[in-house]
Amino acid sequence: QVQLVESGGGLVQPGGSLRLSCAASGSIFSIRAMGWYRQDPGKQRELVAAITSGGSTDYADSVKGRFTISRDNTKNTVYLQMNSLKPEDTAVYYCKLGIRTMFGMSYDYWGQGTQVTVSS
């Protein structure tokens, strides 16, 4: 059993900042890639940022220079620091972790989603 818990979403004014967290717990042997996705109603879920087990990162063009993804392997947690937020960043944000369990199986696990709303 693996559980993911997201936190940190909310309402922020344009130009503001938020920090999202996604913590995994349970029968975890190792975590490979970690990523953040977002989805607007009626649109496809899109990749926002990703980080490999080695620390290499990748970002959507729309967030480069404003968002930073990081991970704490000791806490099985991935973060997304979002600065200079824009109204078009409004969406539900989901984390996705590639986890190998103690039982030797590997799966992609999704968080429950957290709403980010950027509005004045």
Side-chain angles (χ1 to χ4, degrees):
Q1 288 275 35
V2 174
Q3 298 81 38
L4 269 60
V5 177
E6 295 186 33
S7 61
L11 173 65
V12 64
Q13 292 187 342
S17 297
L18 284 174
R19 189 192 194 207
L20 306 183
S21 299
C22 174
S25 62
S27 303
I28 298 169
F29 179 76
S30 62
I31 302 178
R32 305 184 315 276
M34 297 175 162
W36 287 95
Y37 293 72
R38 65 187 181 189
Q39 186 170 23
D40 258 345
K43 295 184 180 180
Q44 282 192 328
R45 192 171 295 186
E46 63 172 354
L47 176 67
V48 175
I51 184 167
T52 67
S53 57
S56 297
T57 58
D58 190 26
Y59 297 92
D61 288 342
S62 59
V63 307
K64 282 181 181 176
R66 300 188 297 122
F67 290 11
T68 302
I69 188 171
S70 61
R71 61 191 287 168
D72 185 336
N73 293 325
T74 65
K75 297 180 179 179
N76 291 333
T77 300
V78 61
Y79 304 96
L80 186 67
Q81 178 67 44
M82 304 185 293
N83 298 329
S84 303
L85 282 160
K86 304 176 181 179
E88 50 264 43
D89 294 318
T90 296
V92 177
Y93 284 70
Y94 299 89
C95 61
K96 186 178 83 169
L97 276 60
I99 295 175
R100 183 179 180 188
T101 70
M102 293 291 191
F103 308 105
M105 305 298 289
S106 294
Y107 301 102
D108 286 336
Y109 289 85
W110 288 89
Q112 81 278 13
T114 185
Q115 177 70 46
V116 171
T117 303
V118 185
S119 175
S120 55

